[in-house]
Amino acid sequence: MHTIRLIYASVARPEHTGYADLTALLHRAAQFNEEQALTGLLVYGNGMFLQVLEGERSAVNHLYNRIAADKRHERCTLLSAHAISERKFSHWAMKLVGIDDMPTAPRRAILLRFSGQSHFDPFLMTDQQAFGFLCAMGDVERQAAA
């Protein structure tokens, strides 16, 4: 079995950015991901998504192809895909973090540290910056849940 981590960014289409849309997406994604043994974290803010997916290579690739074809967003851009020996986001089949909804000092500091920007724009991040940002956001979410 080949486990990979894939990170991509995209822009939400304006008609699909409401809370109900995101909640429904999260619920369906979590169910699907659990069935496929996929884990990940999705950050949404400023009308953009940054997502990390981890799992068996064929399952991750299949899901990414579905995501890239989804009309609820555009500019789906692959930032990285690598083989991994251990998962960093194994806590969640799917976790949604609304960065606009949680403008806390730690989150702002994470954004500034990993992107050099005061506003969320994953397209300005390198693959290493995106991974570091996602890991730090995951750490904050795990600590908040504890």
Side-chain angles (χ1 to χ4, degrees), residues 98-115:
I99 197 158
D100 294 335
D101 298 335
M102 304 174 211
T104 64
R107 286 180 177 83
R108 282 193 302 271
I110 291 168
L111 181 60
L112 190 57
R113 183 173 74 212
F114 288 101
S115 73

Side-chain angles (χ1 to χ4, degrees), residues 6 25-26 31 45 51 53 63 73 76 81 96 105 111-112 128:
L6 182 146
L25 169 74
L26 176 66
Q31 281 184 310
Q51 184 169 17
L53 299 167
L63 179 56
H73 61 141
C76 192
L96 174 65
L111 181 60
L112 190 57
Q128 287 103 1

Side-chain angles (χ1 to χ4, degrees), residues 91-146:
H91 292 80
W92 308 291
M94 177 49 55
K95 174 69 175 172
L96 174 65
V97 176
I99 197 158
D100 294 335
D101 298 335
M102 304 174 211
T104 64
R107 286 180 177 83
R108 282 193 302 271
I110 291 168
L111 181 60
L112 190 57
R113 183 173 74 212
F114 288 101
S115 73
Q117 305 290 319
S118 60
H119 66 284
F120 180 65
D121 186 342
F123 293 96
L124 298 176
M125 294 180 189
T126 67
D127 60 339
Q128 287 103 1
Q129 287 172 318
F131 178 64
F133 173 77
L134 289 161
C135 287
M137 291 301 289
D139 290 343
V140 167
E141 291 302 309
R142 280 190 292 279
Q143 290 170 3

Side-chain angles (χ1 to χ4, degrees), residues 76-94:
C76 192
T77 304
L78 181 65
L79 300 179
S80 69
H82 302 283
I84 58 173
S85 58
E86 88 178 80
R87 296 181 191 220
K88 297 284 186 192
F89 301 91
S90 60
H91 292 80
W92 308 291
M94 177 49 55

